[in-house]
Amino acid sequence: MSAIQQNLKERNAKYASSFTQGDLALPPAKKYVVVTCMDARIDPAAAYGIDLGDAHVIRNAGGNAKDALRSIIISNQLLGTTEIILVKHTDCGMLTFQNADARGVVEKNLGSEAGQAVSNLDFQPFPDLEQAVKDDLEFLKANPAVSKQATVSGWVYEVETGKTRQVA
Ligand SMILES: [Zn+2]
């Protein structure tokens, strides 16, 4: 067992020993879904005020709405959420490279076959943080599979201060 697995096992045993919320309903109680970055410096529950059972939290590289679309539609249509909160963040890794860079790293690390496999993959990096938030909201609003009734907003979380501000 790796040290990471051992950590999971031990910390989970401790968590489960005082766990009392096993009767929560499947649909999120507060009917909202958060899309945010996978960045290790973000604790969505603590930073965005999400209690257990209240909301869906979808995380991926960049807090990317296109990547999250499948889960957003499931959240809205199958599990009843009516509000979408999109939160990107300062110092995001997605601000630091372009598609050619990512493809080059894959090829260098894993070989030409791997390079070929990602030759058409859009890693969806972005050069402008606030514009990327706005672009993602436009993408969601333009998608017919996202309800026009859904409340949609865009935010930036600052990893330097812990503060979150609304930008769209
Ligand atoms: Zn990020």
Side-chain angles (χ1 to χ4, degrees):
M1 186 175 280
S2 73
I4 301 295
Q5 294 165 17
Q6 191 63 38
N7 175 69
L8 184 157
K9 195 176 166 183
E10 290 171 9
R11 297 276 290 271
N12 174 258
K14 193 173 175 194
Y15 178 76
S17 70
S18 60
F19 185 75
T20 58
Q21 293 180 279
D23 56 355
L24 295 172
L26 168 59
K30 291 193 176 165
K31 300 184 189 303
Y32 70 106
V33 53
V34 177
V35 179
T36 200
C37 188
M38 66 186 187
D39 193 290
R41 297 167 292 181
I42 302 172
D43 180 347
Y48 310 156
I50 306 166
D51 291 328
L52 196 66
D54 277 356
H56 286 140
V57 179
I58 304 166
R59 304 188 69 168
N60 60 36
N64 183 295
K66 287 178 189 165
D67 243 26
L69 185 62
R70 180 185 66 92
S71 299
I72 291 170
I73 294 170
I74 290 170
S75 177
N76 288 173
Q77 300 303 315
L78 277 66
L79 290 163
T81 57
T82 58
E83 177 154 3
I84 303 167
I85 302 271
L86 181 111
V87 194
K88 295 185 189 288
H89 69 96
T90 56
D91 199 38
C92 186
M94 302 301 279
L95 291 157
T96 66
F97 68 90
Q98 296 185 352
N99 270 324
D101 304 317
R103 290 172 187 148
V105 169
V106 171
E107 180 155 353
K108 179 170 171 283
N109 289 343
L110 302 175
S112 59
E113 197 177 340
Q116 271 302 313
V118 297
S119 62
N120 291 315
L121 180 62
D122 185 357
F123 287 89
Q124 300 186 49
F126 48 81
D128 181 319
L129 179 57
E130 297 199 2
Q131 188 59 49
V133 173
K134 291 170 186 166
D135 289 348
D136 268 14
L137 293 197
E138 287 308 308
F139 167 79
L140 291 172
K141 287 174 181 170
N143 195 301
V146 176
S147 171
K148 298 285 173 270
Q149 267 73 55
T151 303
V152 183
S153 59
W155 305 72
V156 165
Y157 172 77
E158 299 176 352
V159 294
E160 300 85 359
T161 64
K163 292 179 181 172
T164 306
R165 56 188 157 84
Q166 186 166 9
V167 298

